[in-house]
Amino acid sequence: MTDVALVLVVGGVAVFCGAVVQGSVGFGLGLVAAPVLTMLDHGVMPGAIQVVNMTLPLLTLAAEWRRVDWRGVGFAVLGRLPGSAVGALIVVYVSVTTLGVFVGVMVLLAVVLTARAPRVPRNGATITGAGFLSGVTGTATGIGGPPIALVYQSAKGPQIRATLAMFFFLSAGQSLVILAAVDRLPSRALATGAALIVPMALGFLASRPLRRYLDGGKVRVAVLGVAATSAAALILQSLTA
C-alpha cells in the first residue's frame, strides 16, 4: 500500500470515528483524527483536518441551526481571532510539543475542576477566553474543541452541537486562511482533506442513534469524557511528534 493510500484508508477510519463522536457530542473529530493523520503524514497537518473541520459542521447545522447561541458564537469568534494568530506563529516559530503538553494538562485540570462544579459560568468573558484558547490550539494542532465545549457543557445537547458547529465552521475557515498566509497550507493538505470528506459524512450519519441516547440526559458526562480524552490525545500527539 502506498503512503497516500495508507493516509486515506487509515486516516479515513480515524475521521469516520471522529465524526461519530462529534456528530453525537458536538466536538471530537480533531481529537480522534488529528493525532492519527499527524503520525501518518505530518506534512498534511493541520491543513487536512481543518478542511474536514469546516465541512462537518454544515451537516449539523442543516438539522439544528435554530439552536445556535449566536451571542456566544460572537464572543467565541472574537476571542479566536487573536488566538488563531498566536497559533499560526507557534506553527512557524515555536515548538508545538511544548504547547500541546501544556494545553493538554490545562484541559485535564479544567475537566477535573468543572466536573466537581454544578456548572461553568457562561458569559462574555469565559466564552471569549475559551475562543482564544481554541484559536491557539486549533490552528496549531487541529484540536480546538475542548475549551468551548467545557463552557457549554451544561447546555442542552442540540444547543451544544449547533453552537459548536457554527463556531467550528467559522474557525476552520479562519485557520485555513491564516495557514495559507504563513505558507503552511500545501495543496496536498487540501487534497487529502477533500478526500476525507466522504468517511466524515458516513461517520456523521452513523452518529444519529448515539445522539438520541445522549440527549436523554447524558450530554454533560459525554462532554467531560471527550474533553479529557482530547487532552490526553493532544499530549500524546505532542510527545510523539
Side-chain angles (χ1 to χ4, degrees):
M1 184 179 293
T2 65
D3 291 342
V4 174
L6 185 65
V7 170
L8 294 181
V9 173
V10 179
V13 172
V15 167
F16 173 87
C17 295
V20 171
V21 175
Q22 182 157 322
S24 57
V25 180
F27 74 112
L29 175 64
L31 83 90
V32 177
V36 175
L37 290 171
T38 300
M39 288 185 285
L40 290 172
D41 185 359
H42 64 83
V44 302
M45 290 293 288
I49 198 66
Q50 293 295 2
V51 172
V52 185
N53 281 341
M54 189 175 178
T55 309
L56 176 56
L58 297 176
L59 302 180
T60 299
L61 290 170
E64 299 180 312
W65 64 270
R66 293 179 181 84
R67 304 303 299 272
V68 174
D69 175 14
W70 291 102
R71 179 175 178 274
V73 169
F75 280 118
V77 172
L78 179 66
R80 200 183 197 281
L81 287 169
S84 294
V86 173
L89 291 174
I90 289 171
V91 170
V92 178
Y93 297 111
V94 181
S95 168
V96 177
T97 298
T98 302
L99 171 73
V101 172
F102 175 76
V103 172
V105 171
M106 290 299 100
V107 171
L108 285 175
L109 180 61
V111 168
V112 172
L113 293 176
T114 57
R116 297 172 62 88
R119 62 184 299 234
V120 177
R122 191 164 73 241
N123 52 48
T126 57
I127 298 174
T128 302
F132 176 83
L133 185 56
S134 178
V136 175
T137 61
T139 301
T141 69
I143 300 176
I148 294 293
L150 287 174
V151 174
Y152 275 90
Q153 63 178 279
S154 61
K156 298 292 185 182
Q159 186 183 43
I160 295 175
R161 290 191 296 267
T163 302
L164 265 62
M166 179 56 69
F167 174 70
F168 290 153
F169 172 74
L170 297 173
S171 299
Q174 178 188 351
S175 291
L176 287 170
V177 170
I178 291 177
L179 289 171
V182 297
D183 197 26
R184 289 297 187 274
L185 188 63
S187 58
R188 67 190 185 96
L190 294 174
T192 300
L196 293 172
I197 289 176
V198 172
M200 175 274 293
L202 295 175
F204 177 81
L205 292 175
S207 73
R208 190 170 184 176
L210 185 57
R211 186 161 61 244
R212 289 197 298 265
Y213 170 75
L214 292 175
D215 284 352
K218 302 176 177 63
V219 173
R220 184 171 186 265
V221 174
V223 167
L224 291 173
V226 173
T229 305
S230 175
L234 181 56
I235 293 171
L236 179 63
Q237 173 190 335
S238 301
L239 293 175
T240 58

